[in-house]
Every structure is written in structure tokens, then in C-alpha cells.
Amino acid sequence: MLWILLALFVVYPLAAMFGQAFLVDGRPSLAPLLSILALPNHRAAMWNSLVLGALVGVIGTAVGFLFAFTATRCNLPARWVRLLDVATLLPLISPPFTTSIAFVFSFGPRGLITYELLGVKGTNVYGLPSTLAAEVLTYFPIAYLALRPVLAAIGGNIEEMAFSLGSSRWRVFRTVTLPLTVPGLANAFLLLFAASLADFATPLILAGSRFPVLPTEAYLQITGLFDLKGGAVLSFLLLVPAAIVFLAQRYWVGRGHYVTVTGKSGAQSTLDGVSPGARAVLVAACAAVALSILYLYALLLYASVVVAFGANHALTLKHYVVIFTEGRKAIIDTLIIAFIGMPLGGLFGVLVGYLVARGEFRGRQAMEIASMVNYALPGTIVGIAYLIAFNDPPIALTGGALIIVACYVFRYSPTGTRTTIALLKQIDRGIEEASHSLGAGSFTTFRRVTLPLVLPAFFAGLGVVFIRSMTAISATIFLVSIDWVLITVRILENMTELSLGPAAAFSVFVIVLVMAVTSAISALLRRLPGPPGAASVAGLGG
Amino acid sequence: MAANPVAIRLEGISARFDHRVKGAVAAVDNVSLDVAPGELLTLLGPSGCGKTTTLRMIAGFQKPSAGRIQIGDQDVTEVMSNDRNIGFVFQNYALFPHLSVYENVAYGLRVRKLDDAAMRGAVGDVLALVGLKGYEGQMPHQLSGGEQQRVALARAIVIRPRVLLFDEPLSNLDAKLRVQMRGEIQRLQREVGITTVYVTHDQEEAMAISDRIAVMNKGVIAQLGSAEDLYQRPASAFVAKFIGRANLLRATVLARDGDRVTLDIAGRRHQAAATGAASSLGKTIQAVVRPEALAIDAAGAGASLPGTVVTRTYLGEKVEYLIAAGDETLQVVQLGPAEARRFPSGTSVGIRLPATGIHLIEEPEA
Amino acid sequence: MYRSIARRTALLAAGLALLAIRPTQAQDTLNAYSIWPENWARPMLEEFTKASGIKVNFLRFSSGEALARVIAEKGNPKIDVLFGGPVETFAAGVKEGVFEPYKPPSFAALPARFKHPDGVWVAIADDPLVFMTNTKFLAENKLNAPASWDDLLNPAYKNGLQMADARTSGTAVTRIFSILEANGRDEEKAFAYMKKLRGNVQLYTKSGGGGTLPVGLGQASGGIFFIVDALDTKAKGYDVQISFPKEGIGTAAEGIALIKGAKSPELGKKLIDWASSPAMQSLFAVHKINFVPAHPEVKTEASLAAVLKGAKVFAIDDAYAGANRKRVVDRWVAEILP
């Protein structure tokens, strides 16, 4: 059954997309590929996507490392760490466009910073630098989350050892800490590269016409020109680097990954890993990044409560009135879809994780990979593949809610899957055997023992599906219809119409709602019976 | 059947699997074994000898690749573990971390759909039996290791299993607790009278609680017998070394008359009462001599092997010596050291062989 | 056992999926894609509901997107009416055969350029393009508001102009055809001009009005927009200048059309009747929407008429535009965009 679902919603759409891209009148052909590549715009898009991804990967990893290092080595007071956590959490749970729009307001030709503050005239906000900066600020938290446990795990003893052997702090950092972090850094780089490659919202707003990237080009090709074939080919161009990154991550750096996830990340080194001077610099740098993030969100909040940002700064709540009246349908539709997708995605993630970790059948690996594919691929590809596959009979789903729900379930349940696998690796098989030996059959065991134990994973999966259902756009922009509209698509529409107030109000609403639901889930996790460590493993990352 | 009742019968069971490097490997190779009703039988051996695999096959967690398993008069080879009615106690206790002590113990009864009153009674009784009355509402992670082990035990026996299986239940406890718990396990097993198979790598533990011990090595049973049998009459050098400590001296049997043998050890004649190696006249065999059977003399005394003290370790109630004699190093234990003479390391000494208690093994040196 | 779990999951999934399918829309609800932005479409359609009791469920798309969707849904139309948007979009749709001809009562009264001869579409408004520039920018650079197409090539505008992307926006297509007409339909000349103009363009926006706010805020110095968007920017209090090129600029009739195979064609026809009549178009002024009414009986609102006074505005030939739209847009994407 799971196989059928995976085949239908993972394999089939991709196959349909390949068919669209490489079949002309039923025969394989490279002509569509060549005609797409003939356009300089598209060649530039491919190159730009790779450059942008690499830069975001390098800089984002560096910033993430800075944060992780500061958080684990500088003995910060708890309040400061909290500030770092909030600053890094915000971009992870925000709807798209939030950083982009705040960027335009800050750095545009009449931006708060460039014009009002610095008096620079005629600056051009659109292009590589601002896209890069916005993406770094949006995605470096991924690197932070990936690197923090790594640094925490290699902290303490190993470094203490090196100190005891007479190394200086800098030497320890250079010869012990850094080399040990290399796999983690590589992993973070790949995660960020993939995130940037897949990012659709930021370049749509900030890249401008001279810096086209693949996801936006594919989107315009399809929505503007309704050129499914061209969109499929562009998606294929995007798929190649994405697949390479996925495989690299899985087989090259992914191996040691679980160790870092399950490691005792709670153990804080009491050691002063850095000199007071370096500490001041590190903290200042982190605070600067954190404050700029908070500034961008403050700007967003401000924009949502003034009449017209940049022109009329009288306070008003009318934008909120607008989103709850005109935007009510989008909010209700989004919530319906999110609340249907949530349990399904959570359950599906846990089931696949359980089968992969505990099942004894051929093709477990294949199942794991199949379940990860939609997650690993850029949303634009998934959206286009779904559009191609489900637009016409035999399986015509476009226009309904089901296709959006399916998209979310298969795209965002892998977090639950991975958490389940990680949890089950920590849970001794003996516990299930104990249940068997006490006379419980497999189903009873699953229901009464395994399921309660992987509940944290279930809720983590649930949380991620919910967050993404509220904030995703890259895949679902292709799938919305007259009957089912999503908040994020409304935000995009508002942005293109420049109704910035409602766009900001929608964004604030989504952030508040997501925060409320995630903290409810976290509270629930903390109250779950069971070993205290389990919940932290299931932290709502990704 | 009635004449020779059997609680568990293993008939030539094997567990084979494909190893990535070694190819086809047998973790358990054609093992046959009968366990009598009410008996506590221990599977003892070093790690990797197949003892846990054998136990898991009895439990039904793993299917034998060959052979039959019988519990009582039922062939259970194809029966799922949840239908075998067994109690299993795991090395790491495997308590359900999300359930209270009461619910952990009640788990098997709930599966059997016992009514609430009966269940309360049964759980209360068994918790009293393991000394955990009043712990019903605790969660497993609030308990100490020893307490967790008692819960695991209670959980296994409350369902009144046909057989009770222990997989290294004490190895996660500290030394003192281990000694205390093994006494309790033995007491409980006697009280409830359930046929028990117990796996451990600790020979002292095995000897302390077992009716019989099956020493396993490389997937086969090396020897089966009581603790005395194994200690006094080991069937192989492996068993001799694994059960207690042993000096294995190369010897030639010069003459034999019943249990009186004349041996040539390192060029010296030695007469003693010996067991084992019945038809070994003229052959080179190994003589098993326990460290406490050897005595140390001052150098040059009578019919002693000459040697030099390598180390001397004082342990309170005894002193242990390592003594180099020829190309062998012998272990000697002096009991009651207060009265004995001290031989500091480097001292030349003579080693006196005992007149009884030598066991002869025919197999070549390992 | 795995199978039994899977089966239960499947049942659960199926059950929830059933929940996810909306009950079919009530009888008196009409589905539409609007190319007009929410600000214009919503008040108009609410007035229609008030007048007729028919609810309108609509979704806003840029013209290219809307057309693309209508074409994609040809086999199973999801809407009844395509509402608003430049006629060249409708002309392109005629070629694809996605519309159902319908002549509303106002049909006879409409001038020829405001209707398809067979009634495949009719116009509900007229919307000229204009140049819109930021007043402060003009003052700082000592410039007058541009009065010629060539004025926009002034290096002072370098990286300063925002206008729409032809892949999604009908505004952009109307603009391109304006440039073609201004150059006597000489494609080479027109594209040479656009290539030069490209150097001054900061951003091609997804929707037609996308550049108005940046111009209002001074983030962009100017652009080419529909008058309805430009005047709205001004009305919001942004300091902008509206001007016309002396060579003339295009105006696009805003259309409406019934979708072929619509689920509720009767409701759709009622909307077309209402929108093409003075009933709706006299409401433009009430809601401060600066469309020029298409129906001859409705007078252009005075301030709008004042802006348009003396401007040289020509209609885009919808037959020529519809026939060449795809080719010209493709050429624009290939030559101008990069």
C-alpha cells in the first residue's frame, strides 16, 4: 500500500515530467532540451542558480558555524542564547517573501538604510548581492541547527585533551575543532546549496530581470506562457544538481550524521574555548546578524500596521481587517489543507520510518530513498511534475485539495521519517521483543509500544508538515485553483500588486499562528511520558 | 514422555547467516539440548559463542535455519514468540519507557485480557514477590538499575510462562548488586518453579545459580554438566580455562593404574590421582591443575618444579603468584596468606604439584 | 502485519481525502478568473452580487497566467467567466477556442473596437497606457515628465524604470504593441528601441501594476503603466507625474468573455450583461476606479477626462495583436529579456 502511494505520488509524477521533457510525439528526443538551452536567458539561469547556490552554501555555512560556535563555546548567558535561538527560528517558520520585502524596503533606491540613512542614490537592490544576502539570512539557521550538535558533541573532552597537551586556544580550534567539524560543514554546505537551488520566493522578488534563476524561469515558463514542455525541461536542468547534492549528502557526508543527532548535545563544556577578546568579537558578530534579522521582522510588523509603508505611516489595523475578510477564504482553505495534511503526513512519516528501521523486507532502502525524493527535490520540480502528471486523466487531480494535501504529505513527511528512524535506532529492539514475549502480536506491539515511543517523531513530523503547509509556495503555486487558494499564494499576489500592507499582515498572521502551533506541539512533547531525552531528539528542525 | 519429562528440547538447531566478509557463518551449529522441568540451566560462554542466539531461538525472536524446538510436548519451531507463552528478561531490561511500573507488569495480562480485579491482584502479588510494593506509579526512568531489573523480572513471571529466559540480566549492574540479585533470581526461580534458561558470560554467576551449565564455544556446546563437573573434570582446555582459572601443563603419561597415573612433567616424574584421558598411555596430554592446588616451596626443595616469581599480588584473603617455570608461566594461589611465607618477585622458588585433583585432557594444545 | 497497518492507514487517508473534497458550489455561485487586481475587481463584483444576488467566487491572475490556466482547463473548465484584462489576451484566447460567443444587450451600442464581431468577447472599459514618473526624481535630475518615447532613453533613467514582464502581464503586451504601432509596425525598429530601453530598466515586474508603488516610493524613477494603476498611485498620495508620448501610446480595451463549457453559463451571461452595460461602468467613478467606460452612454469622469485631454492615444488592433502575440512575446523573451 505504501509502495502504491509512493509510486503514485513520487515516481509517477517525475516519470511524467521526464516524458514531457524528452518525448516528442512519443519518441525520445533532445530537441526540447536544445531549444530551451538555445535561449541565453535559460543558460544564464542555470549558471546563476549554481553560483547563487554555491555562494549561499559557503557564506551561510560560515554564518551558521559562527552562531553554532558562539552558542557552544562562549558560555553565553541563557538569555543571549535565547536571542540567538529566536533570531534563527524566525526565518525557519516564516512564509516566503518576508525577508525579500523587508530587503527592498531597506536597501532599495529609497530604502530606509540606503537612502534615508546613508543617502546613497540610485542603488539597485535587484540582483545577485541582495538575493544572496536575503537567502543567507533565510537559510543559515539550517546550518546552525546542523552544526550546533556537531560542535557540542566534539566539545568538552577532546578539546580539553588538546589543551592539556599544551595547545593554544587558536591551535586547538585549527587542529582539532575545525577538522572534526569538516563533515558537519560539508553537510551544512550541501543543505544550504539545495535550499538555495530550490528557493523560488526570494529570487522572484529580489533577483530582478538580469539575474534569472531556474526555479523562477520554470515558473514563468509555465504560468505565463503555459509551456509545460519548457517548464519540464527547466525543471530537469534544476533536477540534475539537486540530485547530485542529494546523493552526495546521503553517501558522502550523511554517514556520520546520526551520531551527531543522537549525541549528547546537552552536555555543555564548562571550558572557556575562546579568549575574552575573540569572545567579544564572536558575540558581536552574532548579535549583529541576529539583530538584522529581528530588524527585518520588526519592519514587516511595522509595515502591517501602517496605512501605506513609505508614504503614509499612520497606524491602522485595516490590513488585518482585509486579510480576515477578503483573505478569509485563503486562510480557511490553508488551514483546512494544513489540518488534513498534518495527521496524514505525521502518520505517513512514522510508518515509513518504522518500516525502514524495523521492517524485514526487500527494498527497504529503496523505500527510504523514494520517500525522501520529493523532500530533496526543489519544490518547483515537484509542483511542475504534479501539474503534468495529474492535469489530465487517468489521474486528474488538479483543481482539488487532494493534490495539495498529497504534495505536502509526500514532500514534508520525511522529517517525521528521519526522526522516527533516529528514535528507533535509540530504542532497543528488545522493547518490542519484550512485548512479543509477553504475548502481544505485531499489531498490538506497534500500537501499544512502538507508536507511543515514536510519538515525539510523529509530533515533530506533524509540526513540520503544518509549518510547511502554512509557508510553502514553490510547489503548490502550480496546484492552487479557483476552489482552493493558499495564504502564501495570496501573499505573492499581494506582493505583485504591491498591496504590501495585506502581504505583511498575512505574513505576521502566519508567523504568529505557526509559533502558536509549534509551541503547543513542543509543550505536548514535553508532557509525553517516556525518557526525558526523547523529546529533544525530535526537536522541530528542518 | 512421563518417564523422561522434558521442559525444553532443542534438536540440532542451527542459526546460519551470510556474513559480508566471512561468507556463510553459523552462529549456532547443530545444537541439541534437553532442559528438565523446573531446572535452571545456564548457557555460558564468551561473547560470540552463540549462547544469546540460542536463547533467542528458544524465545522465538529468531527462527533456526535448521532443527526443531520443543517446549513441553509442543513443537514450537514455527510458533511466533507471542504464542509461545514464555517470559523473557533482557540484558537492558527493555522496560516500556512510556508505561508505569504497574502498567509494565500488567502488560502481558492486558494482552491476555484479564479482568481488572484479577490483574490488580496478580500484579500486586508479583511486585511483593520482587520487593517492589509501592512502586506501582513510578516510571521506569525514575528507578535504579536493580529496581528496573526487578520490574523486568516481575513482568516476565506474572504471566506464568512455561519457561523463563534470561539474557545476561545482571551485566548492567555493579558488582555488589549483581551478587545480591543473582541470589534473588535463584530464590524466585525456586519459589515459582519455572523451567529457566539463563545466559551469561560470567562463570561465577553461572556456577552460583545453575543446576546445570552448558558451556558454549563457537556455536556448539563444549560441555554440559553441573558446576562441579565442569570445574573438576573439564572436557577441554577451553572449558578448563573458561571455568575458573587453570594451569595447563604439558605431560606424558608414563604409567597408569586406575586413577593412579605417573606423569612426566618438564622432565620430572610425578605420581598423582587423576581423572580424564582414559587411554592415554604413552601420549603427550595436558594436565589441568587449578592454581589453588599448587604450593610454593623455597627453591631446591624436593620434587618441585623450579621457577622464578614474576609477580606477587596481595588480595587480602589470598595471594596470587605468577611464576615462570621453564617456558610456561604458572598461576599459583596461596590461601590464608597470613600464615604463609612471602616470596617477593624475583625469588627462585619450587612449585609442588598436588597428589590428587589433576585432570588430564587429551586434545592438543590450542 | 505491515499490510494490516498499511490498510488501516489507507482507509484513514481515503476518509480524510473525502472530507477534503468540497461540496459542489451552490447553484447561485459563479466562478471567475479576474485579470483586474483585487482593488478593482472586488468592489465591482460585490456590486454585481448586490444587484443580482449572484455570488462570485473569483481568483486573480495576471493576464498571461489567467489565459494559460483557461487554456489548460479547456477539457474541464473550472470557471464560467474571464473578467477584465486587455483584449489582446482575449484575442489570443479566441485562437485557442476557449470562449463561447455571447452578445449581451449592450452589444449593438458598443463601438466596433469594443467588441468581437461574433460576440466572443465584449469590452467593459478602456484603459490607455501612460508614462508615470516620480516627481522628486524629475526635480533632482532637472527633467520634465517624458513626452516622447525617446525621452525614456535618457541616461538619467539608467536602472530606474520598472515595467511589466511580457511573460505574465497583459500590460507588457499592450506596451510592446504600442511600441510596434508607434514604429509603424516595423518590428526591427521596435525591437531596436526596446533593446535600447532595456538598459534603463531596473526590473520587469510580474504584474502590470507591479512597478507603480516603487515609482511612487522613488525606488524606481518611472515606468509605463495603465492609467488606472497610475492614477490610483497618485490617489494614494504618492507624488508622481503622468504624461503621454507625443508619438502616441496604445490603449487596451478591457474585455469579458464567457468560457466554453462553463458549468453555469446563465450566471455568466448575467455578469456579462451587467458588466458591459452602464450599470457597472457608471460605478467606476463611485469607486474611484479610473477606467474609461466602454459604453458610449457612460460619461468619462471629469478628472480622468482632464488627464486624457490632448493625449494621443490609439487603439491596439486586436486582430493584429492576437495573431502576432505569441511570436512577439517569444521574441521579446529571447532578445530583450536577457
Side-chain angles (χ1 to χ4, degrees):
Chain A
M1 182 68 208
L2 289 179
W3 278 116
I4 294 173
L5 285 173
L6 285 171
L8 186 59
F9 288 106
V10 177
V11 181
Y12 170 62
L14 279 179
M17 194 189 88
F18 271 101
Q20 182 71 250
F22 292 109
L23 289 179
V24 176
D25 302 328
R27 274 204 310 260
S29 160
L30 286 177
L33 179 67
L34 296 177
S35 75
I36 282 290
L37 281 177
L39 284 179
N41 214 34
H42 294 147
R43 286 202 303 272
M46 197 164 87
W47 175 244
N48 289 344
S49 278
L50 295 178
V51 169
L52 181 66
L55 287 174
V56 170
V58 170
I59 300 173
T61 303
V63 178
F65 182 81
L66 170 78
F67 266 64
F69 190 78
T70 308
T72 53
R73 293 296 189 280
C74 286
N75 277 322
L76 288 182
R79 257 181 309 139
W80 284 73
V81 177
R82 182 104 193 103
L83 175 77
L84 292 190
D85 284 345
V86 170
T88 49
L89 181 68
L90 274 173
L92 287 178
I93 61 164
S94 298
F97 312 118
T98 40
T99 20
S100 320
I101 187 64
F103 245 75
V104 173
F105 277 119
S106 298
F107 302 108
R110 290 289 149 110
L112 269 184
I113 292 181
T114 36
Y115 187 78
E116 308 280 340
L117 219 61
L118 303 175
V120 186
K121 283 177 199 166
T123 48
N124 180 14
V125 68
Y126 305 101
L128 172 65
S130 55
T131 312
L132 173 61
E135 286 195 0
V136 166
L137 284 184
T138 310
Y139 294 123
F140 88 88
I142 300 175
Y144 169 67
L145 287 183
L147 286 172
R148 193 175 155 169
V150 177
L151 277 172
I154 62 173
N157 296 344
I158 298 174
E159 284 178 8
E160 271 167 25
M161 233 279 280
F163 280 124
S164 74
L165 294 173
S167 292
S168 69
R169 288 193 177 99
W170 169 242
R171 205 184 149 79
V172 170
F173 176 77
R174 207 162 38 82
T175 59
V176 179
T177 315
L178 211 51
L180 282 173
T181 329
V182 162
L185 289 174
N187 183 39
F189 171 81
L190 291 176
L191 287 172
L192 291 187
F193 184 82
S196 164
L197 206 60
D199 192 5
F200 159 81
T202 313
L204 192 63
I205 302 298
L206 283 177
S209 328
R210 272 171 226 200
F211 190 74
V213 292
L214 283 174
T216 47
E217 287 300 297
Y219 165 71
L220 291 173
Q221 197 78 18
I222 286 199
T223 56
L225 305 175
F226 208 74
D227 179 5
L228 271 184
K229 197 169 273 294
V233 172
L234 286 169
S235 300
F236 171 76
L237 293 180
L238 188 58
L239 186 141
V240 173
I244 291 173
V245 166
F246 175 63
L247 293 176
Q249 207 215 342
R250 193 176 164 80
Y251 293 106
W252 176 41
V253 291
R255 289 177 187 279
H257 202 59
Y258 284 121
V259 184
T260 65
V261 172
T262 57
K264 287 179 182 149
S265 52
Q268 280 279 342
S269 166
T270 52
L271 199 70
D272 277 334
V274 291
S275 64
R279 179 170 184 261
V281 172
L282 287 173
V283 172
C286 280
V289 175
L291 287 178
S292 33
I293 291 174
L294 295 179
Y295 155 76
L296 292 176
Y297 280 86
L299 209 60
L300 182 76
L301 183 64
Y302 182 63
S304 76
V305 294
V306 297
V307 176
F309 189 86
N312 183 350
H313 285 197
L315 292 182
T316 175
L317 283 178
K318 73 168 187 180
H319 302 310
Y320 288 93
V321 174
V322 166
I323 66 166
F324 288 118
T325 53
E326 293 176 17
R328 208 180 60 208
K329 179 171 160 50
I331 291 178
I332 292 173
D333 285 356
T334 306
L335 286 177
I336 291 177
I337 285 173
F339 281 111
I340 293 173
M342 239 163 86
L344 289 181
L347 199 63
F348 186 76
V350 165
L351 271 179
V352 172
Y354 175 73
L355 289 184
V356 168
R358 288 288 201 264
E360 279 158 13
F361 58 95
R362 279 173 179 280
R364 276 190 306 145
Q365 278 239 314
M367 174 177 273
E368 190 192 357
I369 291 177
S371 76
M372 295 284 171
V373 164
N374 276 10
Y375 172 78
L377 291 182
T380 315
I381 297 182
V382 179
I384 290 175
Y386 271 45
L387 185 65
I388 292 172
F390 302 122
N391 198 35
D392 298 308
I395 314 160
L397 296 176
T398 47
L402 183 62
I403 190 169
I404 303 178
V405 171
C407 177
Y408 285 146
V409 166
F410 289 92
R411 204 161 135 63
Y412 299 118
S413 62
T415 310
T417 302
R418 287 202 303 194
T419 319
T420 305
I421 294 173
L423 264 179
L424 285 175
K425 283 195 176 172
Q426 285 182 305
I427 295 170
D428 188 31
R429 236 171 220 267
I431 290 182
E432 284 148 345
E433 288 171 355
S435 170
H436 287 296
S437 75
L438 292 168
S442 294
F443 187 73
T444 310
T445 301
F446 182 77
R447 188 170 55 84
R448 301 186 57 164
V449 176
T450 318
L451 201 58
L453 289 177
V454 296
L455 219 50
F458 175 70
F459 281 112
L462 218 67
V464 169
V465 174
F466 179 76
I467 294 176
R468 295 301 160 208
S469 303
M470 298 300 294
T471 60
I473 187 167
S474 56
T476 35
I477 189 151
F478 298 100
L479 308 176
V480 293
S481 61
I482 185 90
D483 288 328
W484 294 94
V485 198
L486 296 174
I487 292 178
T488 47
V489 177
R490 282 302 302 256
I491 296 178
L492 174 63
E493 207 44 61
N494 281 325
M495 300 270 299
T496 52
E497 282 178 31
L498 291 161
S499 314
L500 296 170
F506 265 129
S507 302
V508 171
F509 170 73
V510 168
I511 292 172
V512 169
L513 189 68
V514 166
M515 275 188 152
V517 171
T518 21
S519 29
I521 290 177
S522 303
L524 203 68
L525 276 179
R526 252 177 272 122
R527 292 175 53 127
L528 280 184
S536 65
V537 177
L540 293 167
Chain B
M1 172 78 217
N4 184 18
V6 172
I8 303 171
R9 167 167 286 166
L10 309 182
E11 278 179 24
I13 60 165
S14 298
R16 295 195 183 84
F17 59 94
D18 283 322
H19 189 278
R20 245 197 292 187
V21 184
K22 298 181 200 159
V25 176
V28 175
D29 192 6
N30 197 21
V31 164
S32 297
L33 182 67
D34 283 355
V35 186
E39 182 182 26
L40 195 163
L41 180 130
T42 298
L43 299 175
L44 173 68
S47 57
C49 70
K51 57 189 187 300
T52 295
T53 309
T54 305
L55 191 75
R56 291 172 57 82
M57 288 193 286
I58 301 174
F61 298 152
Q62 207 170 325
K63 248 194 192 154
S65 38
R68 314 295 306 168
I69 299 170
Q70 194 181 315
I71 296 181
D73 43 12
Q74 181 194 7
D75 184 331
V76 297
T77 316
E78 301 296 329
V79 176
M80 299 285 284
S81 75
N82 46 317
D83 295 326
R84 289 191 187 191
N85 195 19
I86 47 155
F88 200 102
V89 180
F90 292 82
Q91 176 169 8
N92 49 15
Y93 326 134
L95 297 182
F96 305 126
H98 59 300
L99 299 180
S100 66
V101 167
Y102 180 88
E103 284 301 328
N104 259 283
V105 177
Y107 188 91
L109 301 177
R110 283 197 192 283
V111 172
R112 286 167 174 73
K113 309 212 187 309
L114 225 64
D115 67 75
D116 265 10
M119 184 154 57
R120 256 197 305 281
V123 174
D125 288 351
V126 76
L127 282 177
L129 198 62
V130 298
L132 284 180
K133 213 133 190 101
Y135 282 68
E136 286 85 349
Q138 305 263 46
M139 296 305 287
H141 62 90
Q142 296 170 307
L143 304 179
S144 72
E147 288 163 347
Q148 291 188 34
Q149 188 55 277
R150 285 165 211 249
V151 177
L153 196 56
R155 185 178 67 177
I157 56 181
V158 76
I159 59 171
R160 308 200 164 278
R162 286 191 290 184
V163 296
L164 201 48
L165 306 173
F166 290 87
D167 183 14
E168 308 235 14
L170 305 179
S171 59
N172 286 354
L173 301 178
D174 66 48
K176 264 203 179 138
L177 205 51
R178 207 150 56 213
V179 172
Q180 187 196 335
M181 278 302 294
R182 81 185 185 210
E184 289 192 33
I185 288 177
Q186 192 181 26
R187 170 181 66 81
L188 269 169
Q189 195 264 340
R190 297 271 142 80
E191 270 176 44
V192 294
I194 303 175
T195 310
T196 299
V197 180
Y198 189 104
V199 160
T200 181
H201 65 272
D202 181 340
Q203 49 98 8
E204 189 184 314
E205 190 175 307
M207 293 171 86
I209 64 167
S210 311
D211 294 321
R212 283 192 301 158
I213 299 171
V215 179
M216 291 189 70
N217 187 31
K218 294 177 182 160
V220 299
I221 293 179
Q223 191 173 0
L224 176 64
S226 67
E228 281 95 338
D229 286 344
L230 299 177
Y231 193 74
Q232 290 168 3
R233 290 176 291 281
S236 62
F238 171 80
V239 175
K241 282 182 177 163
F242 198 78
I243 304 287
R245 286 183 298 172
N247 296 301
L248 292 171
L249 302 173
R250 203 178 315 123
T252 313
V253 182
L254 299 175
R256 178 152 201 159
D257 175 19
D259 61 354
R260 302 292 305 171
V261 292
T262 307
L263 300 172
D264 178 336
I265 297 174
R268 285 163 195 271
R269 269 171 179 265
H270 181 70
Q271 277 205 336
T275 49
S279 57
S280 53
L281 197 61
K283 286 184 191 158
T284 300
I285 47 89
Q286 295 191 79
V288 179
V289 188
R290 298 290 174 182
E292 67 274 9
L294 292 174
I296 307 179
D297 281 338
S304 298
L305 294 172
T308 310
V309 176
V310 180
T311 61
R312 172 180 184 275
T313 312
Y314 177 76
L315 290 171
E317 87 270 18
K318 62 186 177 182
V319 178
E320 293 182 3
Y321 288 94
L322 277 184
I323 294 170
D327 47 5
E328 304 200 54
T329 302
L330 301 180
Q331 309 172 56
V332 181
V333 169
Q334 258 185 355
L335 296 170
E339 297 115 58
R341 282 185 59 184
R342 297 176 50 136
F343 299 98
S345 58
T347 318
S348 292
V349 294
I351 301 167
R352 190 147 32 80
L353 294 165
T356 57
I358 292 180
H359 183 73
L360 305 181
I361 296 173
E362 239 174 310
E363 70 182 343
E365 270 179 276
Chain C
M1 147 211 162
Y2 301 125
R3 213 167 282 150
S4 86
I5 296 170
R7 201 173 301 135
R8 283 168 202 229
T9 323
L11 281 175
L12 183 64
L16 284 164
L18 278 177
L19 277 179
I21 294 164
R22 277 267 164 91
T24 32
Q25 296 284 356
Q27 278 299 304
D28 55 349
T29 300
L30 171 75
N31 287 315
Y33 290 149
S34 165
I35 296 175
W36 283 5
E38 296 257 349
N39 326 6
W40 321 140
R42 187 170 294 279
M44 288 300 108
L45 294 171
E46 278 171 0
E47 292 279 5
F48 173 65
T49 305
K50 232 190 281 173
S52 65
I54 298 169
K55 284 201 201 103
V56 184
N57 178 31
F58 75 99
L59 198 58
R60 197 267 155 173
F61 288 110
S62 292
S63 66
E65 267 185 282
L67 182 62
R69 276 189 178 254
V70 170
I71 295 170
E73 292 161 4
K74 201 155 85 176
N76 177 23
K78 299 204 161 62
I79 58 160
D80 307 303
V81 168
L82 182 62
F83 180 82
V87 286
E88 48 78 20
T89 307
F90 289 84
V94 173
K95 259 173 61 178
E96 302 284 344
V98 293
F99 299 127
E100 183 72 40
Y102 170 66
K103 293 180 184 168
S106 308
F107 190 77
L110 290 173
R113 81 174 184 92
F114 286 147
K115 61 190 176 193
H116 185 272
D118 301 331
V120 178
W121 55 265
V122 293
I124 54 175
D126 196 20
D127 198 8
L129 287 172
V130 298
F131 292 172
M132 184 176 88
T133 36
N134 183 286
T135 310
K136 210 167 158 194
F137 167 84
L138 291 175
E140 279 173 5
N141 289 279
K142 302 195 175 57
L143 288 173
N144 288 322
S148 154
W149 286 98
D150 286 337
D151 284 355
L152 292 180
L153 299 178
N154 188 325
Y157 290 104
K158 190 164 170 54
N159 271 334
L161 302 178
Q162 286 204 4
M163 51 193 76
D165 188 326
R167 285 175 292 183
T168 49
S169 164
T171 315
V173 178
T174 308
R175 181 187 74 232
I176 293 170
F177 278 102
S178 289
I179 296 172
L180 276 165
E181 293 291 348
N183 286 286
R185 294 195 186 174
D186 181 338
E187 250 183 72
E188 298 312 314
K189 244 173 97 186
F191 271 90
Y193 171 80
M194 285 190 272
K195 256 178 221 162
K196 273 187 254 164
L197 184 63
R198 204 259 171 272
N200 282 351
V201 172
Q202 178 187 79
L203 186 68
Y204 287 114
T205 62
K206 188 170 157 287
S207 84
T212 51
L213 191 56
V215 173
L217 289 168
Q219 291 178 4
S221 49
I224 303 170
F225 306 101
F226 277 129
I227 195 166
V228 65
D229 295 316
L231 283 173
D232 187 57
T233 311
K234 205 167 181 175
K236 278 182 184 155
Y238 296 102
D239 195 1
V240 292
Q241 298 284 318
I242 291 170
S243 58
F244 295 88
K246 59 177 193 284
E247 299 89 349
I249 195 164
T251 180
E254 299 281 329
I256 191 168
L258 189 64
I259 302 293
K260 188 182 275 176
K263 302 273 189 300
S264 317
E266 291 316 310
L267 301 182
K269 285 175 186 171
K270 278 188 187 144
L271 176 61
I272 295 174
D273 292 348
W274 182 78
S276 61
S277 75
M280 178 178 91
Q281 296 176 26
S282 59
L283 291 168
F284 289 161
V286 178
H287 288 277
K288 299 196 170 58
I289 299 171
N290 290 295
F291 283 121
V292 179
H295 200 281
E297 284 167 27
V298 186
K299 274 186 73 178
T300 305
E301 192 257 336
S303 62
L304 176 59
V307 173
L308 283 167
K309 203 169 160 230
K312 185 177 173 192
V313 174
F314 49 79
I316 302 289
D317 177 353
D318 67 282
Y320 170 68
N324 292 291
R325 184 185 201 270
K326 183 163 170 31
R327 190 177 52 78
V328 169
V329 169
D330 282 350
R331 184 168 176 189
W332 183 86
V333 170
E335 292 182 19
I336 307 300
L337 190 59

